[in-house]
Amino acid sequence: MRSLACNVAGIDFKNPLVMASGTFGFGQEYAQYYDINQLGGIASKGLTLHPRPGNEGTRIWETASGILNSVGLENPGVDAFLQEEMKFWEKIEPVKIANLGGSTIEDYVLGALKITKDAEDRRKLNRLAVDMIELNISCPNVKEGGMAFGIRTEVAREVIREVRQVTSLPLAVKLSPNAENVVGMAVMCEEEGAECVSLVNTFSGMKIDIYGRRSVFQNTYAGLSGPAIKPIALRMVHQVAQAVTIPVMGMGGISSSEDIIEFIMAGAEVVQIGTYNFMNLRAGEDLLNGLTAFMEKENINSLDEIRGIIS
Ligand SMILES: Cc1cc2nc3c(=O)[nH]c(=O)nc-3n(C[C@H](O)[C@H](O)[C@H](O)COP(=O)(O)O)c2cc1C
């Protein structure tokens, strides 16, 4: 019997396929194309304490083998997520990960408190609830003059320490590849009691309109994702997996089942699929079939046989 089962922080995933934040909404639209109950998990669109309209102007720019995005965390806010989107999430099987952002530490703490209380209340009624919080520390820290929390280890430490104190839910911290030291950041997350790290978020990039003589993006820079970033993301996942004992959710440019195997061999416990959801609306189903076929062909019974085998 072949098994794709994985475990992160005591939570069982039926397989390693998790849909990445911001690329799958809350899953409802993709449910028209395939049975999303096949998925291991879903990370919500990045939530903030208050609703955000997102950025003006160009939001997505296609590049060679990837996209630049400047969505600006458009989202309905934590309260609307809990009241509205949870109605759908309560009915689906994949592990439910609430991706949480914030511009101040207070925002993160209040958001985490609300999500945690809601999950505890639902569980008391034997209802399905958010299983895990994924802290997106790539948001600009308004108090630090706009620099993202996720760049400097000691600034990120404060956010994680405060959130850790207010939530009973397993905590994953989503790392930015733009961090001054991504391995040091991951080690700090483990020290502060995070149960998991996920990486990578998008790489800071740029596109210039040479006729208009300006950046095409309102905020000058935007985040690069997709196949273009995969080799760098894979290297970072490998380095982080070797440096921490907590599980790693690996992502960055995955667009085939072979890519997933590479991330698992590099040490990822589970993987997240982002931009590929825009290239293939049935990405989850196709990748799962590819993964099963690879295991058959290579006579692999469990992903543990190949996880982290690259030293
Ligand atoms: C359009 C878009 C929106 C995203 N929004 C979020 C977000 O709200 N929160 C977050 O943590 N990551 C967000 N991401 C980053 C992805 O979750 C993922 O980390 C990144 O795209 C790398 O994976 P990929 O190359 O498979 O897309 C977003 C990415 C894209 C392309």
Side-chain angles (χ1 to χ4, degrees), residues 19-24 43-47 59-60 65-75 99-101 134-139 174-175 177 198-203 223-230 233 250-255 263 272-278:
M19 296 298 127
S21 177
T23 64
F24 204 69
S44 74
K45 170 63 197 159
L47 302 164
R59 287 183 163 199
I60 304 271
S65 216
I67 55 172
L68 282 162
N69 95 79
S70 176
V71 172
L73 277 185
E74 175 180 345
N75 81 94
N99 180 286
L100 179 64
E134 181 182 57
L135 271 195
N136 173 12
I137 53 171
S138 305
C139 315
K174 181 146 174 197
L175 307 183
S198 53
L199 70 153
V200 294
N201 210 316
T202 55
F203 285 78
L224 181 65
S225 63
I229 69 169
K230 201 205 89 183
M251 79 196 91
I254 292 175
S255 40
F263 274 83
Q272 293 196 12
I273 315 301
T275 305
Y276 187 55
N277 284 303
F278 303 147

Side-chain angles (χ1 to χ4, degrees), residues 41-195:
I42 299 177
S44 74
K45 170 63 197 159
L47 302 164
T48 48
L49 185 60
H50 304 293
R52 280 176 59 101
N55 291 338
E56 301 271 327
T58 304
R59 287 183 163 199
I60 304 271
W61 191 276
E62 192 170 344
T63 68
S65 216
I67 55 172
L68 282 162
N69 95 79
S70 176
V71 172
L73 277 185
E74 175 180 345
N75 81 94
V78 168
D79 287 336
F81 162 71
L82 296 173
Q83 276 152 33
E84 297 305 320
E85 309 298 340
M86 274 310 297
K87 288 181 193 153
F88 176 67
W89 269 25
E90 261 197 357
K91 294 190 218 124
I92 59 171
E93 294 167 22
V95 171
K96 296 157 191 62
I97 304 170
N99 180 286
L100 179 64
S103 309
T104 61
I105 294 184
E106 298 77 59
D107 281 4
Y108 278 103
V109 167
L110 288 174
L113 268 172
K114 282 181 184 244
I115 293 168
T116 306
K117 165 122 191 9
D118 178 90
E120 287 172 354
D121 289 349
R122 279 178 212 272
R123 288 230 159 72
K124 278 187 207 141
L125 301 170
N126 276 329
R127 286 152 69 180
L128 292 177
V130 166
D131 295 293
M132 188 186 287
I133 293 178
E134 181 182 57
L135 271 195
N136 173 12
I137 53 171
S138 305
C139 315
N141 176 351
V142 290
K143 292 206 174 144
E144 290 266 321
M147 187 195 269
F149 281 103
I151 303 293
R152 292 191 1 236
T153 309
E154 291 315 310
V155 177
R157 186 189 292 277
E158 257 188 88
V159 184
I160 296 156
R161 187 170 286 173
E162 299 279 328
V163 171
R164 176 71 291 172
Q165 280 173 19
V166 300
T167 184
S168 54
L169 291 170
L171 195 60
V173 181
K174 181 146 174 197
L175 307 183
S176 167
N178 310 308
E180 57 183 5
N181 173 0
V182 75
V183 174
M185 189 73 91
V187 169
M188 176 276 290
C189 292
E190 180 165 20
E191 283 168 5
E192 292 301 328
E195 278 88 356

